[in-house]
Amino acid sequence: MTDVLSSTPSIQLQGIVHPDSYFQIVEKNEIDWQLWIDVLRGKVAGAIFRGVVNQEIRQQICHNFWHSVSLKQKSDGLPAHAKAFIGASLSKSLEFYSEEVERTSQDIEALFDNTGDFYLFLLDNIKKHLADRGCSLRVAEYNGRQAGKYKMRSWLNTGDFVIVPHDDSGVLKAHHLQGFEVGQIDRVVGVLICLENGEGGDLHYWNISPNDETREALGFKSDSFGYPLEALADFDKITVPICPGDIYLFDVTKVHAVGAKTDDEVNRTTISWSMGFLDPKTVLHWA
Ligand SMILES: O=C(O)CCC(=O)C(=O)O
Ligand SMILES: [Fe+2]
């Protein structure tokens, strides 16, 4: 691990660049629980398990999503890149988050109706494999309340990207989330299940975990969205095509983005949540 300063004259990104042995997204054709835990433990940056959610389950989850009464659509004031959303947002305040968690919790659970409890299958397996290694898994808490478990979102293009280059660790330490225990986690892993996607919508992943000074210099306050492409040009990048049925997870302290969809009429829809070690024996999950 080395601390670097990019050579871009105007904007300099400072932070951690990892060796190539870490900076990879390992690909498998089945869920590899040991590899999942290796990603959580920081042995490797990420993993993608190809085509592990069958079509029947995907169609059922999408049906549950697009027909849910909790579904927020464009007219409900979503950000520019979101077409539809169910879940709680961490972007405003813990009070707002708490209300959204409560309002949506039943419909969040119902996303997996008639799928043979696919979410439980995933969580139970991770829990068991962590327990075999002496670690526990639980939902993250704030002020004595439980966090949301996952969210489901469908995206729209915004120029060159569906989601512009960002990291997902800055927001957790933001002032408005004080009291949420996930702020103590240094290495956060994002977990995604791809339910719908066509051409494009690739994951772009850069080998730089920017530090707080860089985020401040760029004027980021409550999130870390919009790292300039010219400042990222000096860092290695991996581009990973994302297909329906894939489950993937990766270190979200590193800058990443979702590339534009070739056809914006085709949905790119995912379920996602975050995970991370709070201490050497405890893994938290939340969304
Ligand atoms: O959809 C993806 O592949 C990544 C999404 C992402 O980076 C995010 O939601 O923060
Ligand atoms: Fe992200």
Side-chain angles (χ1 to χ4, degrees):
M1 236 189 254
T2 40
D3 260 312
V4 299
L5 199 61
S6 97
S7 60
T8 310
S10 49
I11 309 126
Q12 297 178 325
L13 296 190
Q14 284 181 297
I16 294 170
V17 172
H18 285 87
D20 290 351
S21 56
Y22 176 83
F23 184 62
Q24 47 173 320
I25 297 205
V26 180
E27 206 165 314
K28 295 268 166 138
N29 288 324
E30 61 188 0
I31 302 177
D32 180 335
W33 306 106
Q34 176 61 52
L35 177 55
W36 192 311
I37 291 170
D38 285 348
V39 175
L40 291 175
R41 283 196 167 139
K43 293 198 171 152
V44 65
I48 182 159
F49 308 126
R50 294 287 188 190
V52 293
V53 189
N54 71 39
Q55 195 182 19
E56 205 181 318
I57 292 181
R58 295 197 312 262
Q59 281 175 348
Q60 184 64 55
I61 295 172
C62 290
H63 175 90
N64 298 340
F65 177 67
W66 292 108
H67 293 86
S68 171
V69 292
S70 279
L71 191 68
K72 279 197 174 181
Q73 308 234 35
K74 275 261 86 71
S75 53
D76 302 308
L78 291 180
H81 60 287
K83 175 176 181 177
F85 172 83
I86 298 185
S89 168
L90 283 166
S91 64
K92 292 185 179 146
S93 66
L94 276 180
E95 294 76 65
F96 179 82
Y97 176 70
S98 176
E99 280 164 28
E100 293 239 295
V101 169
E102 253 166 53
R103 183 180 66 76
T104 58
S105 68
Q106 269 193 336
D107 292 302
I108 282 285
E109 302 261 330
L111 288 172
F112 285 96
D113 278 357
N114 304 315
T115 66
D117 278 340
F118 189 71
Y119 173 74
L120 270 191
F121 158 77
L122 293 175
L123 260 280
D124 283 353
N125 266 289
I126 312 278
K127 197 171 203 162
K128 176 187 168 303
H129 284 85
L130 282 167
D132 290 347
R133 292 155 181 82
C135 302
S136 64
L137 174 70
R138 66 171 173 81
V139 183
E141 291 179 3
Y142 57 99
N143 307 332
R145 316 182 84 150
Q146 287 207 334
K149 291 194 178 131
Y150 47 87
K151 50 195 172 193
M152 184 157 175
R153 294 167 298 174
S154 194
W155 305 108
L156 292 167
N157 284 332
T158 51
D160 291 340
F161 292 102
V162 168
I163 310 180
V164 297
H166 66 282
D167 73 68
D168 295 306
S169 51
V171 64
L172 301 176
K173 302 196 163 41
H175 187 69
H176 72 281
L177 296 184
Q178 251 179 25
F180 195 8
E181 60 179 342
V182 299
Q184 299 163 44
I185 296 179
D186 286 326
R187 200 171 159 287
V188 180
V189 170
V191 180
L192 293 110
I193 307 175
C194 177
L195 281 324
E196 299 181 304
N197 194 24
E199 291 288 308
D202 298 344
L203 176 71
H204 296 248
Y205 194 47
W206 285 270
N207 190 2
I208 174 72
S209 304
N211 60 21
D212 291 344
E213 290 74 25
T214 291
R215 279 197 285 266
E216 253 167 57
L218 285 165
F220 295 152
K221 291 198 172 71
S222 56
D223 64 35
S224 312
F225 276 78
Y227 287 101
L229 276 182
E230 61 273 22
L232 291 166
D234 286 342
F235 300 98
D236 282 344
K237 184 177 94 161
I238 301 173
T239 305
V240 187
I242 302 296
C243 305
D246 295 345
I247 296 181
Y248 52 112
L249 60 153
F250 59 96
D251 169 357
V252 292
T253 68
K254 292 207 171 291
V255 179
H256 57 283
V258 176
K261 300 184 286 175
T262 307
D263 179 349
D264 207 22
E265 297 304 306
V266 180
N267 293 322
R268 187 191 193 278
T269 310
T270 55
I271 284 180
S272 60
W273 66 89
S274 303
M275 302 181 82
F277 271 91
L278 178 69
D279 61 51
K281 295 267 173 222
T282 316
V283 176
L284 304 185
H285 64 106
W286 72 94

